[in-house]
Amino acid sequence: MQDNFLELPGATAICASLQSNDYITWLDLSRNRIGLRCGDVFSRLLQENRTITHLDLSGNQLGDNAGAQIIEALNDNHSLTAVNLSDNELGEKSAKALGTLLYHSENLLSLDFSWNNLRGEGGKAIGPGLRDNHALTSLNLSYNALDSAAGAAIGESLTANTSLVSLNLRRNKICGAAAAAALAQAVSTNLSLKTLDLSDNPLTLAEATLIASAVCQLTRSLHVDMEHVTVNWAEVQGVPGWYACGVAIVGLRLISCTSSSSLYLF
């Protein structure tokens, strides 16, 4: 039911009909201009319905207050495994609710929170919940203006997290020594992560090189995307000799000779 301009009245009618429904498992209401006043509507649905496993509310201009209300209601829902709240102008209030949800959730496997406004404080609020979560396997936080403090908090959480397989941090504002060190440590110690997207972040040459070095020392498979990030291969240990040419190189795909890990830099 995506792209149907349902707005709030249409969404309200659909949610009311689904409260006692016991066979529909996938609900896609993306890009329907549902707006800011839908918190109560979806909270009731999430509290009553026990069969929906996939919920897509992306692109509905929900705003931070309604977003937080919906996320809080997810604490009482144990059937949903995948939720998409991308492109909804969600901010710090929603991020704090998400941090609490991640701490308690045992059923949510996939979460798309991209194209929102989490920024620094919002990203930091997610960290503790992500650290203690043992169910989520896929998290998309791309295009959220996450800053260096948020990057450090998320990186630190990954050193303890044991379930996450894919993390997308593309096109944020992650940089700084603390964030780079935390992400490099996460790369080195996290055993579940298989894909990490750090592309289009303003990492300095030294910061990016630190993370690349951590990848190249691995003996397990890990794909790290660092598109539009420059790495000084001369300072990276464990790469084929012909990469270590003493200059910063961008535009290469590197497959480490010491492991099956890979770096993509375009």
Side-chain angles (χ1 to χ4, degrees), residues 145-228:
L146 299 175
D147 64 10
S148 56
I154 292 170
E156 289 167 4
S157 74
L158 292 176
T159 61
N161 180 282
T162 58
S163 64
L164 201 64
V165 175
S166 174
L167 175 60
N168 190 340
L169 296 174
R170 182 184 184 93
R171 190 60 72 88
N172 281 290
K173 297 180 179 180
I174 296 172
C175 60
L183 289 166
Q185 182 66 19
V187 164
S188 298
T189 59
N190 186 294
L191 299 180
S192 64
L193 198 64
K194 302 298 182 186
T195 303
L196 175 62
D197 192 341
L198 293 173
S199 53
D200 292 300
N201 278 285
L203 293 161
T204 67
L205 182 65
E207 293 158 6
T209 302
L210 179 65
I211 297 170
S213 296
V215 176
C216 290
Q217 295 302 312
L218 295 178
T219 56
R220 67 180 186 278
S221 177
L222 175 64
H223 171 103
V224 179
D225 191 337
M226 296 174 72
E227 183 180 3
H228 300 148

Side-chain angles (χ1 to χ4, degrees), residues 33-36 57-63 87-89:
R33 298 184 180 180
I34 295 172
L36 304 173
L57 296 177
S58 60
N60 273 302
Q61 303 171 325
L62 302 180
D87 192 18
N88 270 305
E89 302 170 14

Side-chain angles (χ1 to χ4, degrees), residues 81-261:
T81 60
V83 175
N84 188 342
L85 291 172
S86 63
D87 192 18
N88 270 305
E89 302 170 14
L90 307 184
E92 184 178 342
K93 190 173 182 179
S94 295
K96 289 180 177 178
L98 177 58
T100 301
L101 173 65
L102 291 176
Y103 183 82
H104 295 288
S105 177
E106 296 179 353
N107 54 284
L108 194 60
L109 303 179
S110 176
L111 178 64
D112 190 340
F113 224 74
S114 60
W115 288 95
N116 283 299
N117 300 307
L118 299 186
R119 303 185 185 278
E121 292 303 313
K124 287 164 60 179
I126 293 173
L130 182 61
R131 178 191 62 214
D132 295 322
N133 182 279
H134 301 293
L136 194 72
T137 60
S138 177
L139 178 60
N140 189 345
L141 296 175
S142 60
Y143 295 88
N144 263 292
L146 299 175
D147 64 10
S148 56
I154 292 170
E156 289 167 4
S157 74
L158 292 176
T159 61
N161 180 282
T162 58
S163 64
L164 201 64
V165 175
S166 174
L167 175 60
N168 190 340
L169 296 174
R170 182 184 184 93
R171 190 60 72 88
N172 281 290
K173 297 180 179 180
I174 296 172
C175 60
L183 289 166
Q185 182 66 19
V187 164
S188 298
T189 59
N190 186 294
L191 299 180
S192 64
L193 198 64
K194 302 298 182 186
T195 303
L196 175 62
D197 192 341
L198 293 173
S199 53
D200 292 300
N201 278 285
L203 293 161
T204 67
L205 182 65
E207 293 158 6
T209 302
L210 179 65
I211 297 170
S213 296
V215 176
C216 290
Q217 295 302 312
L218 295 178
T219 56
R220 67 180 186 278
S221 177
L222 175 64
H223 171 103
V224 179
D225 191 337
M226 296 174 72
E227 183 180 3
H228 300 148
V229 176
T230 306
V231 173
N232 187 348
W233 296 114
E235 296 184 8
V236 176
Q237 301 298 314
V239 301
W242 53 276
Y243 278 106
C245 59
V247 297
I249 302 175
V250 68
L252 294 176
R253 171 187 175 186
L254 168 69
I255 300 179
S256 170
C257 61
T258 61
S259 72
S260 55
S261 301

